[in-house]
Amino acid sequence: MSLGFSTRAIHNGEEPDFREGASGDVAVPIHLSTTFARLKAGNPTAGYEYTRSLNPTRKALEEKLAALDGAKYGLAFSSGLAAASTLIISLLKAGDNVIGFDDLYGGTRRLLSNVFVNFNISVSYVDATVPENVEKAISPESRLIWIETPTNPLLKIADIRAIAAIAKKHGLILVVDNTFLSPYFQKPLELGADVVVYSTTKYIGGHSDVLGGSIVLNDKQLYEKIAYNQNAVGAVLSPFDSYLTLRGAKTLSVRMEQHQRNALALAEFLQKQKKVKRVLYPGLKEHPHHDIAVAQTSGFGGVLSFELEGTLEDAESFLSKLKLFSTAESLGGVESLVEIPAIMTHASVPKDVREINGISDTLIRVSVGIENTEDLMEDFRNALE
């Protein structure tokens, strides 16, 4: 039976077990055991040996994560960067090249440019809003294309279909970080991507209380490579964190709708403010990539960025006047957050690179929560005044 998104979010991976001796749990229990006993030495009980290799709670989450993206396989990790690291270890070797979007999350860029460069893996950054730039950057050493869409923090949009066609033409693997929109608003695998990466800390977990990451994909051979290294490296999600992520995912659809409703209202409000230089939100018709966003997504998400007139001190002053928006890194939780990328999430990116990419000292990124819309707008209004 073909089930809708909300139904899959609630039921997949958590079907009650009615076999003799089972308890029929509606919510999957937290299996804290680190090891599993066997009746016979050579026969693991139900396939479980050691919780790093496989755990019932994590297995339930991985089934749910795959279902949300319409994927065959899902893997859960201890963080988004743990997922990214395991993916790179699984797919690349010394001498290989990655083509990356020039506006990647600072942590991803740090991982590629400052960590894996030590293992002779190079990165070529391009403006992937123009697919031709991606193709021009391909070299004989290129193996992987890594994009986010929308990007963090400039909300740029890449045409996944077009870049997927380029990747296929040249025999490359396309990885899409879909954290900002979640599988509710965008399904990169259906658009031609090979692998999708998430920080499940954000919208999938949704409550700012659990760290995690995931990979979903359809290719069995790639899955087996990544699953092998998930176990070998050991960067797996704990049973308790798996449980929290399972719980958060059940309300993903209703939360995403309210996140979007609030973000669009706030973006339209900010467009009218004299102290605001520009507003970046794909849901605005004025956004340069609005048409591509409409073509490949079913919504625009809950993150927006805007640039204030003035200096870094003015931006910090504005943040200090907000009452409902907490100044904090991360995004995707039910509560609203604000941050200044230049001195927070993207501080590890060199200043000259930030400025070239358009991340000024007065750029503010907003993760709009699910509070009452009018309350959030009033908070912004007061802080601007």
Side-chain angles (χ1 to χ4, degrees):
M1 182 171 57
S2 178
L3 301 174
F5 186 92
S6 294
T7 306
R8 282 179 280 136
I10 293 168
H11 292 284
N12 277 69
E14 299 196 70
E15 299 85 354
D17 188 350
F18 296 116
R19 292 175 297 177
E20 185 176 354
S23 56
D25 297 289
V26 171
V28 166
I30 307 171
H31 291 265
L32 293 176
S33 182
T34 56
T35 191
F36 303 90
R38 315 177 183 200
L39 285 173
K40 295 183 179 180
N43 185 22
T45 304
Y48 296 104
E49 303 177 15
Y50 187 66
T51 219
R52 169 173 41 77
S53 302
L54 189 65
N55 174 277
T57 314
R58 192 176 82 240
K59 180 174 180 286
L61 174 61
E62 291 178 337
E63 289 178 5
K64 190 183 295 291
L65 292 170
L68 294 182
D69 264 277
K72 293 180 180 178
Y73 309 106
L75 294 161
F77 297 83
S78 54
S79 70
L81 285 172
S85 298
T86 307
L87 180 61
I88 293 168
I89 290 168
S90 303
L91 303 184
L92 300 179
K93 63 183 186 303
D96 287 347
N97 169 259
V98 178
I99 297 168
F101 209 146
D102 60 7
D103 185 34
L104 288 179
Y105 161 56
T108 304
R109 189 165 185 135
R110 179 179 59 220
L111 181 68
L112 291 168
S113 298
N114 299 353
V115 177
F116 279 102
V117 68
N118 297 319
F119 299 90
N120 196 27
I121 292 173
S122 63
V123 191
S124 304
Y125 291 107
V126 300
D127 179 2
T129 61
V130 181
E132 290 78 11
N133 291 343
V134 175
E135 188 157 30
K136 288 177 183 177
I138 294 174
S139 68
E141 294 73 36
S142 298
R143 297 290 180 269
L144 205 66
I145 300 171
W146 194 297
I147 64 172
E148 297 171 10
T149 181
T151 61
N152 181 5
L154 296 174
L155 285 300
K156 294 180 179 179
I157 304 293
D159 187 332
I160 298 175
R161 290 187 183 91
I163 296 175
I166 291 169
K168 186 175 181 180
K169 174 182 174 183
H170 293 274
L172 307 184
I173 296 169
L174 173 60
V175 177
V176 176
D177 184 333
N178 196 35
T179 297
F180 267 34
L181 288 186
S182 86
Y184 181 69
F185 281 139
Q186 182 169 258
K187 291 183 171 57
L189 294 177
E190 294 181 3
L191 299 169
D194 297 295
V195 182
V196 184
V197 180
Y198 292 97
S199 169
T200 57
T201 308
K202 312 305 192 293
Y203 287 108
I204 293 175
H207 294 78
S208 302
D209 58 5
V210 56
L211 189 69
S214 69
I215 293 172
V216 295
L217 69 167
N218 287 322
D219 188 290
K220 183 179 180 181
Q221 187 176 6
L222 291 183
Y223 164 73
E224 289 176 346
K225 285 183 180 180
I226 301 165
Y228 178 87
N229 283 319
Q230 180 195 37
N231 180 48
V233 173
V236 297
L237 195 62
S238 74
F240 185 68
D241 288 343
S242 295
Y243 164 78
L244 287 176
T245 308
L246 277 164
R247 186 176 66 166
K250 292 178 182 179
T251 59
L252 181 59
S253 61
V254 291
R255 287 187 285 106
M256 291 307 294
E257 290 289 351
Q258 183 64 15
H259 282 301
Q260 176 176 241
R261 191 175 298 115
N262 283 345
L264 181 58
L266 199 58
E268 291 174 342
F269 164 78
L270 287 168
Q271 279 188 310
K272 303 172 185 176
Q273 307 307 307
K274 294 181 179 179
K275 296 178 182 179
V276 175
K277 291 172 68 174
R278 60 172 178 158
V279 182
L280 304 173
Y281 182 65
L284 297 174
K285 292 182 179 179
E286 295 80 6
H287 189 284
H289 313 128
H290 175 74
D291 291 344
I292 298 174
V294 170
Q296 69 185 19
T297 74
S298 59
F300 309 105
V303 178
L304 63 91
S305 294
F306 69 99
E307 195 170 1
L308 276 176
E309 297 282 2
T311 64
L312 175 60
E313 289 71 25
D314 294 317
E316 291 180 291
S317 177
F318 168 75
L319 265 58
S320 72
K321 306 298 182 185
L322 292 165
K323 305 299 182 185
L324 297 178
F325 290 78
S326 297
T327 299
E329 297 189 1
S330 196
L331 57 99
V334 293
E335 62 287 303
S336 293
L337 305 176
V338 288
E339 64 109 3
I340 301 173
I343 58 174
M344 294 176 68
T345 54
H346 290 66
S348 63
V349 178
K351 182 176 176 62
D352 60 329
V353 175
R354 290 199 308 268
E355 291 177 347
I356 290 171
N357 290 342
I359 303 175
S360 72
D361 286 348
T362 62
L363 184 76
I364 296 171
R365 191 191 72 186
V366 188
S367 173
V368 189
I370 65 171
E371 302 94 337
N372 289 89
T373 310
E374 286 301 323
D375 293 337
L376 297 180
M377 291 174 63
E378 184 64 20
D379 197 25
F380 259 53
R381 186 179 292 110
N382 289 336
L384 284 168
E385 290 176 357

